[in-house]
Amino acid sequence: MQYDAAVIGGSFAGLSAAMQLARARRKVLVIDAGLPRNRFAKTSHGFLGQDGRAPQEIVDIGRSQLLAYPTAQIIHAEASAVAQSEQAFSIELSNGQKISAARLVLATGVKDELPQIAGLEDRWGATVLHCPYCHGYEVADRRIGVLGSGPGSIHQAALVADWGPVTLFTMGVVQPSPEDLALLAKRNVQIENAPIVELVGAAPEMEAVRLQDGRVLPLGALFLMPRTRFVSDLALRLGCSTEEGPMGPYLKVDERKQTSVANLFAAGDVAAPMPNATLAAAAGVLAGGAAHQSLIFG
């Protein structure tokens, strides 16, 4: 089946991109495997007009609004292979279907690689968190920890201190400089060098952390900066250039979300150094609009 554009990924960025194309009365297909990165979070915050809603509820509303346009379609499937010719992209789906699209928008997202600490994964998105702007208000005034993973953890610890008393767990990998120590002291951040080996309490809540030396420290939330990787390697197989961000690689795009591959656009976490729901939706708007205009102006 032939489409003007296909969008792979049906969360905030993908649906926003498809909306622009549908409103331009272009035939657009969203291919979505249904595994968004934010599925572990109970609610989404900091997203104007959507604050406090469940991420899936926001997606469901977006899908309903998109499908109100007669030229839009959504398929629940995984894009297993993509090839590009001079005229179009050929896409094979996990359900065996094959489609063709003149333009392609990738909104495939990234996956968090969590540290192997007992009890951590069970609390991911609830009391183990990555973004204080997304979740800090909800854990404010608890004892908060920051799990050291690199130089960015010092910045994170100083930042998170606006939400509660903070302890930076260096985990044997973070070595604060004298300037770092001065900043952390100014922000009243405590430093603990003994590594965390277990999170304690009835998940998804947290009561404390157990350290390698046997001590148990009270803690109500833990922030970290996980490494991320691409959920899908389709962009790499198509030859897209990447850049290295503070959390992992992301696709290189220009101001209109065009990748290094002609007629291929990307939006959302897969193409940004900093994940954020509002920024993902805005990037989708840019990518969808640019994809539409490229159909006209080349």
Side-chain angles (χ1 to χ4, degrees):
M1 191 172 292
Q2 177 70 44
Y3 294 87
D4 292 313
V7 179
I8 302 178
S11 191
F12 301 156
L15 292 174
S16 294
M19 179 72 78
Q20 311 313 306
L21 288 149
R23 287 187 54 77
R25 303 193 297 177
R26 293 289 183 161
K27 193 173 182 180
V28 56
L29 173 69
V30 175
I31 303 161
D32 183 35
L35 294 172
R37 184 187 186 196
N38 58 18
R39 66 188 183 276
F40 301 102
K42 185 177 180 180
T43 52
S44 177
H45 294 283
F47 193 161
L48 187 63
Q50 303 293 344
D51 192 70
R53 286 188 188 271
Q56 188 59 51
E57 183 183 358
I58 299 172
V59 168
D60 289 344
I61 292 170
R63 288 168 64 97
S64 176
Q65 292 177 344
L66 176 63
L67 291 176
Y69 293 91
T71 59
Q73 183 182 356
I74 300 174
I75 292 179
H76 180 72
E78 182 180 350
S80 54
V82 177
Q84 184 181 24
S85 66
E86 290 186 8
Q87 292 77 29
F89 293 91
S90 299
I91 306 170
E92 295 183 19
L93 306 183
S94 56
N95 61 10
Q97 197 171 349
K98 295 183 179 180
I99 65 115
S100 178
R103 298 293 184 269
L104 180 61
V105 179
L106 293 177
T108 47
V110 296
K111 179 179 177 60
D112 296 293
E113 296 184 335
L114 301 178
Q116 296 299 304
I117 297 175
L120 189 147
E121 188 173 354
D122 295 338
R123 295 168 172 82
W124 179 237
T127 51
V128 176
L129 308 159
H130 76 286
C131 173
Y133 295 107
C134 303
H135 304 289
Y137 191 88
E138 283 62 48
V139 298
D141 298 325
R142 303 184 190 185
R143 292 180 179 272
I144 299 173
V146 170
L147 192 72
S149 59
S153 300
I154 293 169
H155 171 88
Q156 189 177 43
L159 182 67
V160 170
D162 263 6
W163 283 270
V166 172
T167 299
L168 170 63
F169 296 88
T170 63
M171 301 299 289
V173 297
V174 175
Q175 298 180 336
S177 68
E179 293 78 14
D180 295 331
L181 292 172
L183 171 63
L184 294 173
K186 182 178 179 181
R187 299 290 288 155
N188 296 316
V189 174
Q190 304 298 309
I191 297 176
E192 176 56 64
N193 292 316
I196 296 173
V197 296
E198 183 184 6
L199 276 54
V200 179
E205 293 303 312
M206 184 191 316
E207 296 176 4
V209 292
R210 192 181 314 278
L211 305 183
Q212 193 175 61
D213 60 14
R215 286 179 294 142
V216 176
L217 299 185
L219 208 68
L222 182 67
F223 283 86
L224 55 86
M225 296 181 65
R227 288 289 298 174
T228 60
R229 61 177 176 83
F230 296 133
V231 170
S232 167
D233 66 351
L234 293 178
L236 302 180
R237 283 193 263 165
L238 287 167
C240 290
S241 297
T242 64
E243 296 190 287
E244 188 65 28
M247 298 171 69
Y250 61 97
L251 298 182
K252 183 178 181 179
V253 293
D254 66 13
E255 67 279 359
R256 294 174 63 79
K257 307 306 173 185
Q258 166 75 58
T259 70
S260 59
V261 174
N263 301 326
L264 175 56
F265 302 82
D269 292 356
V270 74
M274 185 178 77
N276 178 276
T278 305
L279 296 178
V285 171
L286 288 172
H292 169 243
Q293 291 177 38
S294 74
L295 290 166
I296 301 169
F297 303 111

